[in-house]
Amino acid sequence: MFRFAHNNFNVLDLNRSLKFYKDALGLEEVRRIEKEDFTLVFLGDKFKSRHELELTWLKNRKEPYDLGDNEFHLAFRAEDFDAAHELHEKMNCICHENTAAGIYFIADPDGYWLEILPRKSGEK
């Protein structure tokens, strides 16, 4: 048996990314591993899901990451979808909307896409 532990995104500016994930999604640092050449920061949500997002900062990297076609993403369910959309509009980070499906995507400072979904009906 297996269960998800975390996903990883490499980031160019750790502080900028930490601020984005806190402001846009309410993710907070759970733990940190400091090494000479890199830092790993694990982020979690306040709903206590077991899944974490690991941000890897390679301290000597100066060039942005090549995300290819960026055909991957993480998805988040919003407690209040309309309020989330309003926040993300103000942050100017919405990169794609699919109003027919009732979803949209935001892009983090490194260009990773994050899908925003409404809460499932009956979900607490």
Side-chain angles (χ1 to χ4, degrees):
M1 295 292 290
F2 297 90
R3 67 177 172 92
F4 278 107
H6 67 265
N7 286 79
N8 169 263
F9 284 166
N10 283 19
V11 301
L12 197 55
D13 182 329
L14 183 59
N15 290 328
R16 180 180 69 169
S17 293
L18 289 172
K19 179 175 177 10
F20 173 84
Y21 281 99
K22 182 171 181 64
D23 293 349
L25 299 167
L27 300 183
E28 297 185 5
E29 186 173 328
V30 175
R31 60 192 162 94
R32 179 182 290 238
I33 299 171
E34 292 279 352
K35 298 292 183 181
E36 184 177 330
D37 296 339
F38 65 90
T39 299
L40 306 177
V41 177
F42 295 85
L43 304 177
D45 61 34
K46 57 186 158 193
F47 298 106
K48 308 293 187 245
S49 65
R50 294 180 177 178
H51 193 269
E52 295 175 345
L53 175 59
E54 174 190 326
L55 301 181
T56 298
W57 175 47
L58 302 175
K59 295 178 181 178
N60 293 324
R61 185 170 181 108
K62 303 294 181 228
E63 64 280 345
Y65 288 94
D66 178 359
L67 302 182
D69 291 334
N70 206 1
E71 289 294 328
F72 55 89
H73 65 272
L74 294 180
F76 294 84
R77 290 207 180 273
E79 278 290 305
D80 184 335
F81 187 82
D82 293 333
H85 190 276
E86 185 178 325
L87 169 67
H88 296 142
E89 275 185 328
K90 287 178 184 171
M91 293 179 68
N92 197 33
C93 62
I94 296 175
C95 57
H96 178 74
E97 290 192 70
N98 184 334
T99 53
I103 63 170
Y104 66 93
F105 292 81
I106 60 175
D108 85 349
D110 291 282
Y112 294 104
W113 281 29
L114 308 157
E115 182 178 3
I116 308 300
L117 303 163
R119 185 173 59 192
K120 287 182 181 179
S121 58
E123 185 178 63
K124 292 181 180 180

